[in-house]
Amino acid sequence: MKIIFKIWRQDSPAEEGMLKTYEVDDLTEDMSILEALDHLNELLVLRDEKVIAFEYDCREGICGQCGIFINGRAHGPHDQITTCQLHLRSFNDGDTVVIEPWRAASFPVLKDLIVDRSAFDRIIESGAYISSKTGSAPEANAILIAKEVSDTAMDAAACIGCGACVATCKNSSAALFTSAKINHLNSLPQGESEAHKRVIEMTSQMEAEGFGSCTFTGACEVECPESISIVNIAEMNARIIKAKIFG
Ligand code: SF4
Ligand code: FES
């Protein structure tokens, strides 16, 4: 199988990047897109050229590290999968596949397809934890949690921090990510004592990182591989008002 890759190459944040074309004609449709990049890198090593820098860890849709734009869509042409779960059988023999890093001012390109997503880490550090001193591990059923509450919390907890929501949003808003992390903890009784502080500190950090405002276009929800709902953003906004009144 032949694919004509057009891949963003950029040596450092300070340098300008450009799309470079690579024709690879010994691929198979069973290869994942990351395996195709591995293979291309092997060919580049043999040609004594610089390999393409790209990020991954789990390669099974869990860690959120592999996000890139593929033919203009975050994580490629299919809904609800990550880049590492995309296979070449989604393309035709001879297709051109354009691969670029996330595009957002708060996610500067470090090298080739790798961007700096440490802004997400700082949002997490600002409040996505529970610091109540609870002693030793309590009996699992000591705090009863209604099924619908635990479902809400677990649905929000599914966010893998990939950054597709930011990269897709025309405002580069991190509202979907931040709201998922807030609602995961604020929905549960264990997160209640710090709920007001958490929502104020995490949303303040989100703004300090330079992410844009949410204007509810819904693009983030469409491209999110974990189907995180924008209802989380509405919930976060309501929590901000409550925290300002009662916090
Ligand atoms: S909300 Fe979805 S798109 Fe955004 S970081 Fe989490 S998993 Fe990725
Ligand atoms: S490499 Fe972990 S989600 Fe893709």
Side-chain angles (χ1 to χ4, degrees):
M1 179 178 191
K2 176 168 126 180
I3 295 285
I4 301 159
F5 288 108
K6 288 183 185 290
I7 299 178
W8 188 259
R9 303 302 313 261
Q10 183 172 341
D11 280 338
S12 72
E15 285 163 275
E16 283 195 0
M18 61 183 291
L19 286 170
K20 268 193 89 170
T21 303
Y22 302 93
E23 236 180 83
V24 190
D25 57 12
D26 56 350
L27 300 165
T28 69
E29 61 174 24
D30 296 329
M31 284 178 162
S32 72
I33 197 90
L34 296 187
E35 285 166 342
L37 289 176
D38 288 336
H39 181 59
L40 172 54
N41 272 345
E42 285 166 1
L43 298 175
L44 292 177
V45 169
L46 292 175
R47 296 195 322 229
D48 215 15
E49 290 181 36
K50 280 190 225 166
V51 295
I52 298 153
F54 62 100
E55 249 193 310
Y56 60 86
D57 186 4
C58 69
R59 296 200 178 204
E60 52 183 335
I62 298 169
C63 72
Q65 289 197 29
C66 59
I68 44 180
F69 278 118
I70 299 164
N71 286 348
R73 276 196 72 183
H75 295 298
H78 302 305
D79 294 340
Q80 294 169 10
I81 61 166
T82 52
T83 296
C84 57
Q85 295 171 306
L86 177 68
H87 289 79
L88 295 189
R89 55 181 167 269
S90 298
F91 304 98
N92 297 315
D93 189 30
D95 271 1
T96 296
V97 176
V98 181
I99 300 183
E100 297 171 86
W102 288 159
R103 304 291 188 187
S106 301
F107 286 167
V109 175
L110 294 176
K111 188 171 169 56
D112 297 335
L113 303 175
I114 298 180
V115 299
D116 179 358
R117 286 180 296 122
S118 59
F120 269 11
D121 297 335
R122 290 186 290 276
I123 293 173
I124 294 286
E125 281 167 21
S126 70
Y129 53 82
I130 289 173
S131 59
S132 321
K133 291 185 175 57
T134 53
S136 55
E139 202 277 315
N141 293 321
I143 302 174
L144 296 179
I145 300 170
K147 171 85 168 63
E148 59 272 22
V149 174
S150 73
D151 283 352
T152 301
M154 291 305 109
D155 285 351
C159 166
I160 56 174
C162 66
C165 46
V166 172
T168 297
C169 174
K170 69 184 174 75
N171 307 321
S172 299
S173 167
L176 193 64
F177 164 80
T178 308
S179 64
K181 297 301 174 191
I182 289 170
N183 290 341
H184 163 210
L185 295 176
N186 279 24
S187 304
L188 296 169
Q190 290 90 339
E192 220 171 271
S193 62
E194 289 164 302
H196 293 330
K197 183 170 171 279
R198 178 176 301 114
V199 71
I200 295 298
E201 294 196 350
M202 289 182 72
T203 50
S204 302
Q205 188 63 37
M206 175 181 77
E207 283 169 23
E209 296 293 346
F211 293 107
S213 301
C214 171
T215 50
F216 277 99
T217 65
C220 54
E221 180 184 72
V222 172
E223 296 296 50
C224 173
E226 300 301 323
S227 303
I228 303 293
S229 165
I230 56 170
V231 168
N232 281 287
I233 302 177
E235 181 70 28
M236 175 179 76
N237 290 343
R239 288 184 193 281
I240 293 171
I241 295 168
K242 263 193 245 166
K244 284 186 175 163
I245 296 171
F246 304 113

